[in-house]
Amino acid sequence: MPAIDFPNSPALNSTHTVGNRVWKWNGTVWEVVRSTVPYATGATGPTGNTGSTGQTGATGVTGATGLTGATGVTGSTVTGPTGAAGAILAINNNTGTAYTLQAGDVNDLVTLNNANAVTVTVPPSVFSTNDVINISQIGAGQVTFAQGVGVTINSTGATATAPKLRVRYSSAAVICTASNTFLIVGDIS
Protein backbone atom coordinates (compact mmCIF):
# COMPACT_ATOMS: atom_id res chain seq x y z
CA MET A 1 0.00 0.00 0.00
CA PRO A 2 1.50 3.39 -0.96
CA ALA A 3 1.93 6.15 1.62
CA ILE A 4 -1.35 7.85 2.52
CA ASP A 5 -1.51 11.59 1.90
CA PHE A 6 -3.77 12.84 4.71
CA PRO A 7 -5.14 16.41 4.60
CA ASN A 8 -3.26 19.05 6.62
CA SER A 9 -5.13 20.69 9.56
CA PRO A 10 -8.26 18.47 9.48
CA ALA A 11 -11.32 19.38 11.56
CA LEU A 12 -12.41 17.03 14.35
CA ASN A 13 -14.25 13.98 12.93
CA SER A 14 -13.13 14.75 9.35
CA THR A 15 -12.86 11.63 7.22
CA HIS A 16 -10.44 10.68 4.44
CA THR A 17 -10.99 7.77 2.05
CA VAL A 18 -8.14 5.82 0.45
CA GLY A 19 -9.05 2.78 -1.62
CA ASN A 20 -11.43 0.67 0.44
CA ARG A 21 -10.61 2.31 3.80
CA VAL A 22 -12.12 5.32 5.55
CA TRP A 23 -9.99 7.20 8.11
CA LYS A 24 -11.38 9.61 10.76
CA TRP A 25 -9.45 12.43 12.51
CA ASN A 26 -10.10 12.12 16.30
CA GLY A 27 -8.35 15.38 17.12
CA THR A 28 -4.97 13.67 17.61
CA VAL A 29 -4.53 10.88 15.03
CA TRP A 30 -6.20 9.44 11.94
CA GLU A 31 -8.01 6.18 12.82
CA VAL A 32 -9.37 3.53 10.45
CA VAL A 33 -13.13 3.59 10.91
CA ARG A 34 -14.23 1.50 8.02
CA SER A 35 -12.65 -1.02 5.70
CA THR A 36 -14.29 -3.27 3.16
CA VAL A 37 -13.24 -6.31 1.20
CA PRO A 38 -13.45 -5.17 -2.47
CA TYR A 39 -14.92 -8.41 -3.79
CA ALA A 40 -17.66 -8.49 -1.12
CA THR A 41 -19.30 -5.11 -1.79
CA GLY A 42 -22.67 -4.92 -3.45
CA ALA A 43 -24.31 -2.05 -5.29
CA THR A 44 -23.46 1.37 -3.87
CA GLY A 45 -26.44 3.25 -2.51
CA PRO A 46 -26.87 7.01 -2.78
CA THR A 47 -24.56 9.02 -0.53
CA GLY A 48 -26.11 9.67 2.86
CA ASN A 49 -28.87 7.04 2.66
CA THR A 50 -29.00 4.41 5.36
CA GLY A 51 -29.21 0.73 4.57
CA SER A 52 -32.42 -1.18 5.02
CA THR A 53 -31.31 -2.15 8.54
CA GLY A 54 -31.14 1.51 9.52
CA GLN A 55 -27.89 0.89 11.38
CA THR A 56 -24.83 3.05 11.01
CA GLY A 57 -21.36 1.63 10.51
CA ALA A 58 -19.38 0.00 13.29
CA THR A 59 -18.06 3.29 14.65
CA GLY A 60 -21.25 5.25 14.17
CA VAL A 61 -19.81 7.72 11.65
CA THR A 62 -22.67 9.74 10.19
CA GLY A 63 -23.24 13.30 9.13
CA ALA A 64 -20.59 15.34 7.32
CA THR A 65 -19.54 12.61 4.91
CA GLY A 66 -22.98 11.07 4.68
CA LEU A 67 -21.58 7.55 5.15
CA THR A 68 -23.89 5.11 6.82
CA GLY A 69 -23.83 1.36 6.78
CA ALA A 70 -20.70 -0.41 5.64
CA THR A 71 -19.19 1.95 3.04
CA GLY A 72 -22.30 2.54 1.01
CA VAL A 73 -23.41 -1.08 0.81
CA THR A 74 -27.14 -0.84 1.33
CA GLY A 75 -28.89 -3.27 3.60
CA SER A 76 -25.92 -5.46 4.50
CA THR A 77 -22.86 -5.72 6.69
CA VAL A 78 -19.53 -6.48 5.04
CA THR A 79 -17.45 -9.04 6.89
CA GLY A 80 -13.70 -9.23 6.30
CA PRO A 81 -11.63 -12.41 6.37
CA THR A 82 -11.01 -12.26 10.12
CA GLY A 83 -14.08 -10.45 11.43
CA ALA A 84 -16.04 -7.24 11.04
CA ALA A 85 -13.98 -4.79 9.00
CA GLY A 86 -12.93 -1.71 10.91
CA ALA A 87 -14.09 -3.05 14.28
CA ILE A 88 -11.95 -3.86 17.30
CA LEU A 89 -12.89 -7.40 18.19
CA ALA A 90 -11.17 -7.68 21.59
CA ILE A 91 -8.79 -5.93 23.97
CA ASN A 92 -5.59 -7.79 24.83
CA ASN A 93 -4.15 -6.29 28.05
CA ASN A 94 -0.41 -6.79 28.65
CA THR A 95 1.68 -5.74 31.65
CA GLY A 96 5.15 -7.02 30.71
CA THR A 97 8.12 -5.15 29.26
CA ALA A 98 8.18 -7.21 26.03
CA TYR A 99 5.41 -8.46 23.78
CA THR A 100 5.53 -10.25 20.41
CA LEU A 101 2.48 -9.75 18.22
CA GLN A 102 0.44 -12.89 17.48
CA ALA A 103 -2.02 -13.89 14.75
CA GLY A 104 -4.82 -13.64 17.32
CA ASP A 105 -4.13 -9.90 17.72
CA VAL A 106 -5.50 -9.06 14.24
CA ASN A 107 -8.36 -6.53 14.56
CA ASP A 108 -7.76 -6.36 18.34
CA LEU A 109 -6.48 -3.57 20.57
CA VAL A 110 -3.27 -4.60 22.34
CA THR A 111 -2.72 -2.43 25.43
CA LEU A 112 0.69 -2.18 27.10
CA ASN A 113 0.74 -1.14 30.74
CA ASN A 114 4.11 -1.02 32.48
CA ALA A 115 6.06 1.71 34.28
CA ASN A 116 9.22 0.62 32.41
CA ALA A 117 9.92 0.77 28.66
CA VAL A 118 8.06 -1.85 26.60
CA THR A 119 9.23 -3.45 23.33
CA VAL A 120 6.65 -4.76 20.85
CA THR A 121 8.18 -7.13 18.29
CA VAL A 122 6.56 -7.59 14.87
CA PRO A 123 7.39 -11.22 13.96
CA PRO A 124 7.92 -12.68 10.47
CA SER A 125 5.53 -15.02 8.65
CA VAL A 126 2.55 -14.47 10.98
CA PHE A 127 0.41 -11.84 9.28
CA SER A 128 -1.20 -11.45 5.85
CA THR A 129 -1.55 -8.36 3.69
CA ASN A 130 -4.30 -6.04 5.05
CA ASP A 131 -4.10 -7.43 8.62
CA VAL A 132 -4.27 -4.62 11.21
CA ILE A 133 -3.28 -4.70 14.89
CA ASN A 134 -4.06 -1.68 17.09
CA ILE A 135 -1.57 -0.81 19.86
CA SER A 136 -2.04 1.56 22.82
CA GLN A 137 0.41 2.62 25.56
CA ILE A 138 -1.57 2.62 28.82
CA GLY A 139 1.39 2.74 31.26
CA ALA A 140 4.17 5.28 31.73
CA GLY A 141 6.79 3.05 30.01
CA GLN A 142 7.32 4.18 26.40
CA VAL A 143 6.46 1.56 23.77
CA THR A 144 9.04 0.89 21.01
CA PHE A 145 8.35 -1.29 17.96
CA ALA A 146 11.03 -3.77 16.85
CA GLN A 147 11.42 -5.69 13.59
CA GLY A 148 11.55 -9.48 13.86
CA VAL A 149 14.12 -11.26 11.70
CA GLY A 150 13.19 -10.66 8.04
CA VAL A 151 10.54 -8.04 8.87
CA THR A 152 10.52 -4.50 7.46
CA ILE A 153 8.80 -1.70 9.37
CA ASN A 154 8.05 1.64 7.71
CA SER A 155 6.85 4.70 9.64
CA THR A 156 7.21 8.45 10.04
CA GLY A 157 8.92 7.92 13.40
CA ALA A 158 12.31 9.48 14.11
CA THR A 159 13.73 6.01 13.58
CA ALA A 160 11.51 4.84 10.72
CA THR A 161 12.12 1.13 11.33
CA ALA A 162 11.76 1.35 15.13
CA PRO A 163 9.10 3.97 15.90
CA LYS A 164 7.89 4.69 19.43
CA LEU A 165 4.49 5.64 20.76
CA ARG A 166 4.80 9.32 21.65
CA VAL A 167 3.36 9.45 25.20
CA ARG A 168 1.08 7.60 27.60
CA TYR A 169 -2.30 6.86 25.94
CA SER A 170 -0.81 7.22 22.45
CA SER A 171 -1.99 4.63 19.94
CA ALA A 172 -0.90 3.31 16.57
CA ALA A 173 -1.96 0.76 13.99
CA VAL A 174 0.41 -1.92 12.71
CA ILE A 175 -0.69 -2.65 9.13
CA CYS A 176 0.67 -5.55 7.08
CA THR A 177 1.13 -4.07 3.59
CA ALA A 178 2.91 -7.06 2.02
CA SER A 179 4.57 -10.28 3.16
CA ASN A 180 6.68 -9.37 6.25
CA THR A 181 6.31 -5.63 5.46
CA PHE A 182 4.45 -3.35 7.86
CA LEU A 183 3.39 0.28 8.06
CA ILE A 184 3.01 1.76 11.54
CA VAL A 185 0.78 4.86 11.66
CA GLY A 186 -0.57 6.82 14.58
CA ASP A 187 0.70 8.96 17.47
CA ILE A 188 4.37 7.98 17.06
CA SER A 189 7.73 9.65 17.48
Side-chain angles (χ1 to χ4, degrees):
M1 173 180 241
I4 299 172
D5 186 20
F6 290 106
N8 291 327
S9 304
L12 182 63
N13 295 325
S14 292
T15 59
H16 183 70
T17 302
V18 177
N20 62 351
R21 289 206 165 88
V22 177
W23 301 79
K24 178 180 173 186
W25 180 253
N26 70 7
T28 304
V29 296
W30 286 97
E31 298 177 324
V32 174
V33 294
R34 193 163 287 107
S35 177
T36 61
V37 176
Y39 57 81
T41 56
T44 301
T47 301
N49 290 345
T50 57
S52 62
T53 62
Q55 296 177 342
T56 59
T59 59
V61 174
T62 57
T65 61
L67 292 177
T68 55
T71 313
V73 177
T74 56
S76 66
T77 300
V78 176
T79 302
T82 58
I88 291 182
L89 302 179
I91 296 176
N92 178 353
N93 299 307
N94 293 279
T95 58
T97 58
Y99 183 75
T100 299
L101 297 177
Q102 306 168 39
D105 293 329
V106 172
N107 291 334
D108 286 355
L109 173 62
V110 176
T111 63
L112 302 149
N113 187 358
N114 197 296
N116 297 311
V118 179
T119 301
V120 173
T121 301
V122 181
S125 306
V126 173
F127 302 103
S128 300
T129 301
N130 299 327
D131 282 350
V132 177
I133 304 97
N134 300 289
I135 307 292
S136 186
Q137 177 183 320
I138 302 301
Q142 188 172 34
V143 174
T144 300
F145 294 92
Q147 302 175 124
V149 175
V151 167
T152 300
I153 291 177
N154 298 297
S155 78
T156 59
T159 304
T161 60
K164 298 179 180 190
L165 290 179
R166 193 174 55 82
V167 293
R168 188 174 190 187
Y169 301 116
S170 290
S171 297
V174 179
I175 305 165
C176 183
T177 58
S179 178
N180 294 327
T181 303
F182 297 83
L183 175 64
I184 297 181
V185 295
D187 192 12
I188 58 176
S189 63

